[in-house]
Amino acid sequence: MDVFEAISSRRAIKKFDSSYKMDSSDVQKLMNHVILAPTSYNQQNWRFVYVTNQDVKEKISVAARGQAQPKDGSLVIVLCGDMTAWKTKPLRYWRNHPLEKQEMVKDALERKYSGNSENLRDEAVRSCGMAAQTIMLAAKQMGLDSCPMVGFEYDELAELIKLPEEHLIVMMVVVGKRAADASERGGQLPLGEVAFENSF
Ligand SMILES: Cc1cc2nc3c(=O)[nH]c(=O)nc-3n(C[C@H](O)[C@H](O)[C@H](O)COP(=O)(O)O)c2cc1C
């Protein structure tokens, strides 16, 4: 699918066909593309819990205050930030490059994130945001649709996915076959109100 078409036809779908199940090779294909999403310093600080089990998806719908998308969609991807990524064997993030480059990135990561919870949280949200849009566009390429979601009880979802310490749930994305089109777009702001050439 053409990228512009994927961008313009992606909508937050509310009704998924509960009888449709992605096969596991498609799930793997999707996930293998998602991990090509960009991260600052290539630190790959996202962690994805991809839920295919119907019982767990039903529980996620309950945690999502009764919203049907998780239980009816084929796949629920919970996007989490790992706040320890910057210090977990950081040389591997540039292992295809000379050691000098690997050491330079390690030092930069330490300067930016060590003891700085605000930077850590910002980076988790940035990285997961990039990955979320990648999921949604890849889904379009696969003939599927999606719904990004933050309407859930954080602690309930954290318990369901066994969220480790020093990890943050950023959002989830449901992927599946649409059973009904999205309603008309809410109303995009005019480009001139949100985009400025060269400065505000
Ligand atoms: C971070 C985020 C959280 C969202 N949470 C929910 C949600 O919990 N439930 C839902 O039905 N839609 C949710 N949405 C979908 C938005 O309402 C939707 O993206 C927005 O209205 C624009 O519509 P469109 O995506 O169809 O263009 C969320 C979207 C984003 C980006």
Side-chain angles (χ1 to χ4, degrees):
M1 176 182 272
D2 174 77
V3 177
F4 284 141
E5 191 187 340
I7 293 168
S8 54
S9 64
R10 181 219 56 79
R11 297 296 313 280
I13 293 300
K14 313 290 173 173
K15 286 196 167 66
F16 288 96
D17 173 356
S18 60
S19 68
Y20 176 80
K21 300 289 170 224
M22 291 170 76
D23 62 38
S24 61
S25 65
D26 279 346
V27 174
Q28 291 304 315
K29 187 174 189 177
L30 178 67
M31 295 312 300
N32 274 316
H33 283 85
V34 172
I35 61 170
L36 298 178
T39 55
S40 176
Y41 293 108
N42 199 37
Q43 66 190 267
Q44 300 162 74
N45 54 331
W46 16 237
R47 298 293 176 266
F48 306 100
V49 178
Y50 60 98
V51 181
T52 53
N53 179 285
Q54 189 58 31
D55 288 345
V56 183
K57 291 198 292 114
E58 306 256 348
K59 286 178 181 148
I60 294 178
S61 266
V62 174
R65 303 167 191 143
Q67 296 188 82
Q69 297 94 317
K71 72 178 170 63
D72 291 345
S74 179
L75 178 69
V76 180
I77 304 173
V78 186
L79 295 93
C80 307
D82 177 356
M83 311 297 201
T84 66
W86 66 274
K87 61 180 176 184
T88 309
K89 300 188 204 144
L91 299 184
R92 69 199 158 124
Y93 304 141
W94 287 88
R95 68 178 180 280
N96 297 339
H97 286 243
L99 186 60
E100 193 185 15
K101 167 88 181 184
Q102 298 173 26
E103 298 279 6
M104 194 195 82
V105 170
K106 177 176 180 277
D107 293 347
L109 289 171
E110 184 151 350
R111 275 197 304 277
K112 185 158 185 191
Y113 303 107
S114 182
N116 192 326
S117 56
E118 194 174 337
N119 280 351
L120 281 168
R121 192 180 179 98
D122 287 351
E123 213 54 71
V125 174
R126 277 193 282 265
S127 296
C128 288
M130 293 278 179
Q133 182 74 341
T134 305
I135 293 168
M136 295 188 282
L137 296 182
K140 290 301 304 181
Q141 172 64 29
M142 299 172 85
L144 298 173
D145 280 287
S146 60
C147 188
M149 298 182 73
V150 289
F152 52 79
E153 298 300 327
Y154 187 97
D155 291 345
E156 275 181 47
L157 184 58
E159 198 179 325
L160 278 172
I161 63 165
K162 303 187 172 66
L163 185 75
E165 292 290 311
E166 296 190 74
H167 285 59
L168 171 78
I169 300 175
V170 174
M171 62 190 296
M172 60 185 183
V173 178
V174 175
V175 176
K177 193 67 102 181
R178 76 163 75 175
D181 291 346
S183 60
E184 190 183 350
R185 282 188 190 279
Q188 303 312 112
L189 297 175
L191 184 62
E193 192 177 331
V194 296
F196 309 91
E197 191 166 358
N198 300 323
S199 66
F200 270 96

